[in-house]
Amino acid sequence: MSDRHLIVLNVNGESHEALVEPRKTLLDVLRHDLGLTGTHVGCEHGVCGACTVLVDGEPVRACLMFAVQAETAEIRTVESLGQDGELSDLQRSFSEHHGLQCGFCTPGFLMLAEGFLAQRPDACREEIREAVSANLCRCTGYQTIVDAIEATATRRCHAAKKEATA
């Protein structure tokens, strides 16, 4: 009797089959089986947030979720943000506001912010500060990260209002 399970994961809009042990984390499957190395391995205890991905639109620590638990979900990794080699508006904002710093925690912050802005598109600076407090930046550059997310929220709200009136 095999202790491995064939699962199908929907990652970044594509279906992927993987033969996994029941206790293999989503993080390990994303990185080692699917080659999506943008999701970083940090503390492996769910504390730092470097491994944050979106599962059905919610920010989730991929190091704390078994891959088999994600089988029916829509999973988004940092690789989903850019299109055709172009950075997303959020990624450009991180660059413009120097929110990238050493870059290790950046994928986790980007996915946390993407999920947060989807739920709270008109978030104020204080709400953004509260949201990013869930992840750790060892460079301690939270102000620039908050600036980047706030600028993206502002741009997206203006674009939505402009589109609604057109």
Side-chain angles (χ1 to χ4, degrees), residues 76-139:
R76 285 186 63 198
T77 68
V78 71
E79 287 89 350
S80 72
L81 293 180
Q83 298 292 319
D84 301 321
E86 297 290 323
L87 298 177
S88 72
D89 61 341
L90 182 61
Q91 290 170 309
R92 280 194 310 276
S93 190
F94 266 64
S95 177
E96 292 165 3
H97 293 276
H98 308 287
L100 301 170
Q101 300 163 66
C102 80
F104 185 80
C105 65
T106 302
F109 273 106
L110 286 167
M111 297 315 293
L112 177 71
E114 188 71 16
F116 175 71
L117 290 177
Q119 296 171 355
R120 298 276 303 127
D122 58 347
C124 70
R125 188 170 182 85
E126 193 58 35
E127 292 169 320
I128 294 168
R129 289 175 55 89
E130 178 69 23
V132 300
S133 71
N135 283 25
L136 297 178
C137 171
R138 290 169 179 86
C139 299

Side-chain angles (χ1 to χ4, degrees), residues 19-67:
L19 189 59
V20 301
E21 296 173 5
R23 298 182 55 85
K24 192 168 190 176
T25 66
L26 178 59
L27 174 63
D28 286 338
V29 171
L30 291 172
R31 289 184 57 84
H32 302 297
D33 297 346
L34 304 184
L36 297 170
T37 56
T39 304
H40 287 178
V41 181
C43 66
E44 297 186 82
H45 296 284
V47 175
C48 75
C51 66
T52 302
V53 297
L54 299 182
V55 175
D56 290 335
E58 295 286 332
V60 168
R61 309 288 207 231
C63 71
L64 295 181
M65 183 174 206
F66 296 124

